[in-house]
Amino acid sequence: MKQDWQSLSLKEQIAQMIVVRASGHLFDHQIRYPAWEANNQQLQTWLTELNLGGVILLGGSSVELQARSQQLQSWANIPLFIAADIEEGIGQRFPGGTWFPPPMALSRIYELDPALAKQYAYQMGEITAQEALTVGINWLLAPVVDVNNNPDNPAINIRAFGDRPEVVGDLTTAFIRGAKSQAVLTTAKHFPGHGDTSTDSHLDLPALHHAEPRLAAVELPPFQQAISAGVDSVMTAHLLIPIWDELPVTLSHKIVTQILRQRLNFSGLVVTDALIMGGITQYADPKTVAVMAVQAGTDILLMPDDPEVAIAAIYDGVQTGKIKESRIKESLSRIWQSKQQLFDTSIEHTELSSDRAKSIVISMLKKSLQYSQTKVTAERINGRNLIVVDDVLNMAYLDLNSPAITIPQKYNYQRQLVDCHTLDCILLDERPTL
């Protein structure tokens, strides 16, 4: 990148700290989440006139995403971060790419063969990064570095690499090294550890009531290993840690600056978790959250409800002395360094879902099942088979031809929709239809 960030106006510098949600589809009528995803006219205005720093994408096939990412970059005056939550590979979010098993599958393999598990984690990071670059994604919001030692955790669960810090540390380090063989950014999330919670931060603000020795022994070591492995960014969790601060992590200068930056010696990008999540929106209004996140030491604000409101609030914070202008310049320096790392490197495109990638996925699945202690029985049990899904109309993994649907139907079990409060459910009735 030849342009110097210091030539930007203060508002343009602040805008570089904003990453907004966008649809991976090309056309407005395909937008799935209009409350979060702006239409193309609005998005183009934000990127062109405000000079936003980047977008996070969801939706669209891998092939469609190639055109979409090129379109978005063409609208921007400054090359964009294009991010995605692809913890299980491109195919997890964008059909057509490789979709790996959940990270927790590698934990079982690790128990009997740590070297093999680390090899798989490295390959998972490598292939995910290669395919991401092919479709235009340059920032992996992965891996999950949380130690999922709470079986009631609704937010992390099988997204984690395990329930012990040494397992999580080894496997996330291998993933990061694999991904960093390519010109992409990696992310350790959700700092300082969202694994031992029973509250979903998408809905409310969880709390970790552990003492310092416990945090130092369980939650922090995997993040320390990720930092040592050269992870490019760290995502803050929307949670409370009373022993450290009365503020949520995302808004805490003590946790973001004093602990993450100074104690753990992290010099890369600090990015918030999505700012439209209930865990943070219930704490304060969007203007206050934006200002406090920057005061805490954050470089990137992910998915603020309205980027123009966030930029204006931070700008006013600088003008009134709540935020030092040097604080903005610190973030811009890190953002520019990261973008130079991405855009001053040539990219070699790779095949999506290559034979090698498919072979590795099959091998991982077989090995994780081989080591599983779960016994599958074909015996018929009286009762109901309840499949809970986020959206009954939008499930890439569960269509009408899926075995979970076709096998019960073969025995004359019929689908029923039932009330699952805020979730959609498919209920396979226990009684065959005669």
Side-chain angles (χ1 to χ4, degrees), residues 1 64 98 217 238 251 254 312 321 330 418:
M1 295 199 323
E64 184 177 11
T98 301
H238 300 323
L251 309 181
K254 181 175 181 181
E330 288 172 5
V418 297

Side-chain angles (χ1 to χ4, degrees), residues 149-220:
N149 54 10
N150 187 330
D152 295 324
N153 194 320
I156 306 302
N157 208 283
I158 59 173
R159 298 167 62 194
F161 278 101
D163 58 6
R164 294 189 291 120
E166 57 270 29
V167 176
V168 174
D170 282 353
L171 295 179
T172 54
T173 295
F175 181 99
I176 290 165
R177 287 175 177 159
K180 284 180 69 65
S181 67
Q182 310 297 314
V184 297
L185 300 183
T186 53
T187 309
K189 61 185 188 184
H190 309 78
F191 184 81
H194 200 328
D196 194 9
T197 59
S198 55
T199 300
D200 188 345
S201 56
H202 294 87
L203 306 175
D204 208 343
L205 187 63
L208 282 181
H209 295 285
H210 296 309
E212 178 73 36
R214 152 59 197 257
L215 295 170
V218 177
E219 274 72 24
L220 290 183

Side-chain angles (χ1 to χ4, degrees), residues 316-384:
D316 288 345
V318 175
Q319 298 301 109
T320 58
K322 292 181 181 179
I323 300 172
K324 293 182 179 179
E325 191 167 347
S326 60
R327 171 76 273 286
I328 305 298
K329 294 185 184 299
E330 288 172 5
S331 289
L332 261 291
S333 178
R334 284 188 281 264
I335 290 168
W336 227 249
Q337 183 178 358
S338 296
K339 288 194 172 185
Q340 285 180 321
Q341 173 186 332
L342 297 175
F343 299 109
D344 290 348
T345 305
S346 60
I347 297 173
E348 294 184 8
H349 294 285
T350 189
E351 179 186 358
L352 299 178
S353 282
S354 66
D355 289 342
R356 172 178 178 256
K358 291 175 184 175
S359 176
I360 292 170
V361 169
I362 291 171
S363 180
M364 290 171 65
L365 288 168
K366 286 181 177 179
K367 290 293 184 181
S368 62
L369 290 174
Q370 177 182 337
Y371 297 148
S372 174
Q373 301 301 311
T374 303
K375 294 183 178 180
V376 180
T377 177
E379 294 180 10
R380 180 173 172 178
I381 301 174
N382 291 329
R384 294 179 181 272

Side-chain angles (χ1 to χ4, degrees), residues 10 121 331 387:
L10 177 58
S331 289
I387 303 172

Side-chain angles (χ1 to χ4, degrees), residues 211-409:
E212 178 73 36
R214 152 59 197 257
L215 295 170
V218 177
E219 274 72 24
L220 290 183
F223 285 95
Q224 292 172 304
Q225 285 186 248
I227 292 169
S228 296
V231 73
D232 303 283
S233 63
V234 171
M235 178 182 288
T236 58
H238 300 323
L239 56 83
L240 287 170
I241 304 182
I243 194 70
W244 282 346
D245 201 347
E246 62 184 9
L247 296 174
V249 172
T250 298
L251 309 181
S252 169
H253 181 272
K254 181 175 181 181
I255 297 175
V256 172
T257 296
Q258 295 180 21
I259 295 178
L260 176 57
R261 289 222 182 273
Q262 297 172 4
R263 188 202 298 185
L264 301 187
N265 199 30
F266 179 65
S267 59
L269 293 173
V270 174
V271 55
T272 70
D273 207 344
L275 295 180
I276 47 80
M277 292 167 59
I280 204 71
T281 58
Q282 293 182 17
Y283 184 83
D285 65 87
K287 293 181 180 180
T288 301
V289 166
V291 170
M292 292 182 69
V294 174
Q295 289 174 326
T298 296
D299 301 307
I300 299 289
L301 279 65
L302 182 65
M303 288 179 62
D305 181 60
D306 186 327
E308 296 184 66
V309 169
I311 292 168
I314 296 167
Y315 179 82
D316 288 345
V318 175
Q319 298 301 109
T320 58
K322 292 181 181 179
I323 300 172
K324 293 182 179 179
E325 191 167 347
S326 60
R327 171 76 273 286
I328 305 298
K329 294 185 184 299
E330 288 172 5
S331 289
L332 261 291
S333 178
R334 284 188 281 264
I335 290 168
W336 227 249
Q337 183 178 358
S338 296
K339 288 194 172 185
Q340 285 180 321
Q341 173 186 332
L342 297 175
F343 299 109
D344 290 348
T345 305
S346 60
I347 297 173
E348 294 184 8
H349 294 285
T350 189
E351 179 186 358
L352 299 178
S353 282
S354 66
D355 289 342
R356 172 178 178 256
K358 291 175 184 175
S359 176
I360 292 170
V361 169
I362 291 171
S363 180
M364 290 171 65
L365 288 168
K366 286 181 177 179
K367 290 293 184 181
S368 62
L369 290 174
Q370 177 182 337
Y371 297 148
S372 174
Q373 301 301 311
T374 303
K375 294 183 178 180
V376 180
T377 177
E379 294 180 10
R380 180 173 172 178
I381 301 174
N382 291 329
R384 294 179 181 272
N385 179 16
L386 183 65
I387 303 172
V388 180
V389 298
D390 293 328
D391 182 352
V392 73
L393 297 177
N394 180 30
M395 294 175 294
Y397 61 90
L398 187 64
D399 59 32
L400 294 180
N401 295 316
S402 300
I405 302 294
T406 59
I407 292 175
Q409 280 186 330

